[in-house]
Amino acid sequence: MRQKILNHNQKSSYTESILHQFLSDLDVIFVFPTSFSSNLWMEKVLEILPAVAKERFIAWDVFKSNAIRSQQQNRQSIPSVLRKLFATDLIERNKEMVALNTPLLSSLITENYASEVSSFANWISSLFPSLSSWKKNFEKAVKEKSISSDGIDDDLLVLYNEYKKFLDNNNLFDPAWETPPFKDTGFKYVVFYPEILTDFCEYKEILKSAPQVTIISLDQEKESVFQPECTMYSNSRTELREMAVFIRNLVEQKKCNYTDIVISVPDMDNWGAYIMRELELFCIPAVLHTGKGLGEYGAGRFFSQIQQCVQQGFSFDSLKELLLNRHLPWKDKEAVDLLLQYGIDNCCLCSYTENEKNIDIWEKTFNADPKSYREQALYQEIKKNCNALCKANSFKNIQSAYFQFKQALFDETNFSVEADSILGQCISELAILIDIEENYADLIIKEHFAFFISTVLEKEYVPQELKVGVSVVPYKLAATAPAYCHIIPGGSQGELSAMFKQLNFLSQSKRQNMNLLDVDFSSAFIELYHRHSYGIVRFTCSEKNFTGYSVPHSYFIVKEEKKGRPESLEQCNSEDLFVQELLALKKYNEDFPLKKL
């Protein structure tokens, strides 16, 4: 349980009043835009109640899969990975039909690119949930004669019909395709601020018609005076330094705990590392609540590195990248070093083709050097196992090949906890694919290992942190989460812009003719951060940041501009720990030399 806030003079939010209104009804489930928000609200409720059922606080994605049911009770919701497998199957069939001059798709995937199956699978898969909405809007627009059908529409209709046939044949349904009435499961739902969700328009009709669903929106509570402010700095380093000082002061003045502060970062890729370093320099405990694809972690890169080795004919660079992956505990480390040194000494850069025959440069040099039996044995074992993985013709065979690779080449007792966890998650995803493959044997998948790699690259994984402290999260994730202090650095016009375009896969002219929505959610997110800060909200921006120049979002009133360099040490922020140290040293030695920049 989180510690209670030290300062009791706090403002309560509209969200909190709604929770108080419905908490006593045990049949009510609260739905928040993100799991981060739902978890923090559950913890905040524990400050009031001794216990609360975890299942009563869920995220929007969980609500979609669990609560929105097909009217036909024998149907199950289609998993996203199965949707992608079907997209791959459809593109494979299109590839075969292109060769017969009878393509399924002629505009979305032109003939020249029909063979690029893996390049289109994710995109085609992402279209399926929106196709029902597209068909409805398209038919309405055609009836009103505002648009006429073209090749893109013909392809979209093919996708709709093929997907619908697949759902019907396999007793599946897509939640985004469901229409009223909402199926009563005995529970009541309070859905908070769904209008900021990009796919809410697909479910809006079914939810608004359901008496057991209460929607809480921004329009239900209008603040009388709302003037969001943003503090301007000359550069990002100063901005982050002031942020760290601000956090230290809040805690030292006993206004809140570190766990009651949330930093939302609009540009995590460029700012994340700098923020974590600055917090560490000021001894501020922090937890980074952001994940990345399983395949992007060190241990998870193992599979893509194997694919790279096979595709490049075991070039020195690809083999080196695999062998030097520090997250993989090789069984014979000495042989690994010998093999790499052997490749350097014998210039085993890459294989080549001679007289239409592929020449493995490693095998060629090994044959000329009989003393290199240890290096040759390791290379041949790696090559055999890599080929077995890449050429597996089923997900079940990939699983068998992986465990064989692991047993033959890794010290299974020496995996780190992190590496073991990540590889375990990858194999769990593989088990899901195996189960789907067994149940849907008619789907055509020709590149099983490539599909598996794409799956682990997309599957987001957030390592479990045992420490507690300031929460550092991507922007928007915590907009509806309760916190004493919400801090949003880098609040520039570009980074805080949040646009939603209904059916954005269509051209802008066609979208206008179909009267589709273009909504700017930027101000909505800024308002939500203000409403869910029961102490302080702090937006900041800098004229010059880590990627270039920026201006604060137009929705803000610039509260204060801090530009230029202080003319003297005394003009610096006296609350800065480093400034305090310099002032103390100067007090004892007026001639103490400052570091020259």
Side-chain angles (χ1 to χ4, degrees):
M1 184 186 299
R2 297 166 68 228
Q3 294 182 352
K4 292 187 178 181
I5 303 302
L6 304 180
N7 181 13
H8 298 284
N9 297 320
Q10 302 161 357
K11 62 178 182 180
S12 60
S13 67
Y14 183 62
T15 303
E16 192 169 355
S17 66
I18 296 297
L19 287 171
H20 280 288
Q21 179 182 341
F22 289 99
L23 267 174
S24 58
D25 188 344
L26 300 181
D27 291 330
V28 173
I29 295 176
F30 303 103
V31 182
F32 292 89
T34 65
S35 59
F36 184 82
S37 294
S38 64
N39 289 337
L40 284 192
W41 274 114
M42 182 181 63
E43 291 180 11
K44 185 162 180 61
V45 166
L46 289 174
E47 297 177 2
I48 306 168
L49 301 177
V52 65
K54 184 178 180 180
E55 294 76 15
R56 295 186 65 190
F57 292 80
I58 63 174
W60 170 255
D61 289 339
V62 177
F63 169 71
K64 286 191 299 181
S65 60
N66 293 348
I68 300 179
R69 296 290 183 183
S70 172
Q71 295 304 305
Q72 301 182 48
Q73 291 302 296
N74 61 331
R75 295 200 173 196
Q76 295 182 338
S77 175
I78 183 171
S80 59
V81 68
L82 177 55
R83 191 184 291 127
K84 183 181 173 183
L85 279 166
F86 173 70
T88 304
D89 169 82
L90 189 145
I91 301 170
E92 286 284 4
R93 285 189 282 127
N94 178 68
K95 175 182 173 182
E96 294 174 358
M97 296 181 73
V98 165
L100 301 174
N101 293 321
T102 57
L104 276 171
L105 309 172
S106 56
S107 296
L108 290 176
I109 303 177
T110 59
E111 183 179 347
N112 293 336
Y113 297 98
S115 61
E116 302 293 329
V117 176
S118 59
S119 301
F120 291 98
N122 282 337
W123 178 57
I124 295 296
S125 176
S126 70
L127 300 182
F128 289 140
S130 302
L131 289 179
S132 179
S133 175
W134 164 81
K135 189 171 184 289
K136 187 186 303 180
N137 284 281
F138 173 72
E139 289 175 345
K140 179 182 177 183
V142 170
K143 186 176 181 180
E144 296 172 353
K145 297 183 179 180
S146 59
I147 64 169
S148 57
S149 178
D150 58 18
I152 296 292
D153 298 316
D154 294 339
D155 281 2
L156 289 173
L157 187 58
V158 169
L159 290 181
Y160 173 86
N161 290 330
E162 291 290 327
Y163 186 51
K164 185 177 186 303
K165 183 168 66 174
F166 176 74
L167 294 175
D168 292 340
N169 291 343
N170 293 281
N171 291 324
L172 297 169
F173 76 97
D174 194 311
W177 284 31
E178 288 303 297
T179 56
F182 185 89
K183 186 63 180 176
D184 190 355
T185 58
F187 291 102
K188 290 172 279 188
Y189 298 91
V190 177
V191 184
F192 290 96
Y193 311 109
E195 66 266 36
I196 64 173
L197 298 162
T198 56
D199 60 348
F200 175 59
C201 64
E202 310 291 346
Y203 303 88
K204 187 175 181 179
E205 184 179 354
I206 187 174
L207 295 183
K208 286 198 170 183
S209 66
Q212 64 270 44
V213 176
T214 302
I215 296 178
I216 308 300
S217 65
L218 276 165
D219 296 335
Q220 292 173 238
E221 184 206 17
K222 285 292 184 181
E223 296 184 7
S224 56
V225 178
F226 180 70
Q227 294 181 325
E229 297 177 337
C230 180
T231 303
M232 191 73 181
Y233 293 93
S234 59
N235 60 75
S236 295
R237 294 189 181 278
T238 302
E239 181 181 357
L240 295 186
R241 177 65 59 84
E242 293 291 328
M243 178 192 73
V245 172
F246 180 79
I247 292 172
R248 283 290 297 261
N249 288 338
L250 283 179
V251 177
E252 289 176 357
Q253 293 169 16
K254 300 190 181 301
K255 292 183 177 180
C256 66
N257 301 312
Y258 285 123
T259 53
D260 302 311
I261 300 172
V262 177
I263 300 175
S264 294
V265 188
D267 184 3
M268 187 65 79
D269 290 339
N270 290 308
W271 285 65
Y274 290 107
I275 289 174
M276 297 303 291
R277 184 189 66 176
E278 199 69 29
L279 296 177
E280 184 180 357
L281 288 173
F282 278 81
C283 300
I284 297 172
V287 181
L288 188 63
H289 294 274
T290 183
K292 52 187 178 181
L294 282 167
E296 296 179 39
Y297 288 91
R301 283 199 297 269
F302 163 68
F303 299 103
S304 57
Q305 286 169 349
I306 284 178
Q307 184 185 46
Q308 189 176 12
C309 283
V310 174
Q311 290 176 343
Q312 296 184 11
F314 295 90
S315 66
F316 180 80
D317 286 342
S318 64
L319 195 59
K320 180 183 71 171
E321 188 174 341
L322 174 64
L323 293 174
L324 295 184
N325 186 336
R326 61 184 180 85
H327 300 275
L328 305 176
W330 296 97
K331 188 176 290 186
D332 192 344
K333 294 180 180 179
E334 185 179 351
V336 167
D337 294 336
L338 289 173
L339 179 59
L340 290 173
Q341 189 61 49
Y342 181 88
I344 295 171
D345 294 340
N346 293 275
C347 299
C348 299
L349 296 179
C350 61
S351 299
Y352 58 93
T353 301
E354 185 177 58
N355 297 327
E356 299 183 355
K357 184 180 180 181
N358 292 326
I359 305 298
D360 187 327
I361 188 64
W362 292 91
E363 293 288 6
K364 183 177 180 180
T365 54
F366 287 141
N367 293 335
D369 182 9
K371 295 181 180 179
S372 59
Y373 59 88
R374 189 175 180 185
E375 295 92 328
Q376 184 177 14
L378 176 61
Y379 174 77
Q380 290 176 342
E381 188 69 29
I382 291 174
K383 182 179 179 180
K384 179 185 72 174
N385 285 279
C386 286
N387 282 324
L389 275 166
C390 284
K391 297 176 181 179
N393 57 5
S394 70
F395 295 119
K396 185 71 175 177
N397 288 344
I398 290 176
Q399 186 185 60
S400 300
Y402 165 74
F403 286 116
Q404 184 177 347
F405 191 114
K406 187 177 180 182
Q407 183 180 13
L409 292 162
F410 291 152
D411 180 0
E412 299 187 46
T413 63
N414 204 24
F415 278 100
S416 66
V417 174
E418 179 189 11
D420 194 50
S421 176
I422 290 170
L423 287 173
Q425 289 292 326
C426 291
I427 300 307
S428 295
E429 292 301 314
L430 182 59
I432 294 173
L433 292 174
I434 292 171
D435 185 56
I436 290 175
E437 185 177 40
E438 291 175 350
N439 290 313
Y440 302 92
D442 293 337
L443 294 178
I444 303 173
I445 306 295
K446 292 187 176 179
E447 299 179 357
H448 287 79
F449 192 62
F451 188 94
F452 168 61
I453 290 174
S454 70
T455 300
V456 298
L457 282 171
E458 295 164 12
K459 186 66 177 182
E460 188 173 281
Y461 175 73
V462 181
Q464 296 297 315
E465 294 278 0
L466 297 178
K467 61 181 180 179
V468 295
V470 174
S471 295
V472 181
V473 302
Y475 184 65
K476 300 179 187 176
L477 188 69
T480 57
Y484 176 81
C485 179
H486 275 295
I487 299 175
I488 300 89
S492 66
Q493 178 74 35
E495 296 299 339
L496 297 190
S497 294
M499 291 294 298
F500 165 68
K501 294 186 176 184
Q502 186 181 6
L503 303 182
N504 63 354
F505 54 85
L506 299 176
S507 65
Q508 186 63 22
S509 60
K510 184 173 289 188
R511 294 181 63 259
Q512 289 175 351
N513 292 333
M514 294 173 69
N515 296 318
L516 297 177
L517 296 175
D518 276 1
V519 184
D520 186 352
F521 287 144
S522 308
S523 59
F525 279 103
I526 294 172
E527 286 194 36
L528 285 172
Y529 272 105
H530 275 269
R531 294 185 183 189
H532 292 90
S533 301
Y534 50 89
I536 303 168
V537 63
R538 190 173 191 266
F539 283 88
T540 62
C541 184
S542 52
E543 182 179 328
K544 187 176 182 180
N545 58 35
F546 299 116
T547 58
Y549 290 90
S550 63
V551 294
H553 196 278
S554 58
Y555 196 59
F556 290 123
I557 296 173
V558 178
K559 178 183 177 183
E560 178 183 0
E561 292 192 0
K562 297 188 177 182
K563 295 184 178 180
R565 188 182 183 88
E567 295 182 0
S568 65
L569 183 62
E570 286 75 9
Q571 293 179 3
C572 295
N573 189 340
S574 61
E575 296 172 342
D576 191 321
L577 299 179
F578 297 101
V579 172
Q580 291 176 11
E581 289 181 2
L582 289 174
L583 287 172
L585 289 168
K586 188 176 181 181
K587 179 179 179 181
Y588 290 103
N589 185 356
E590 293 295 329
D591 298 324
F592 184 82
L594 294 176
K595 181 179 179 181
K596 295 182 180 180
L597 299 177

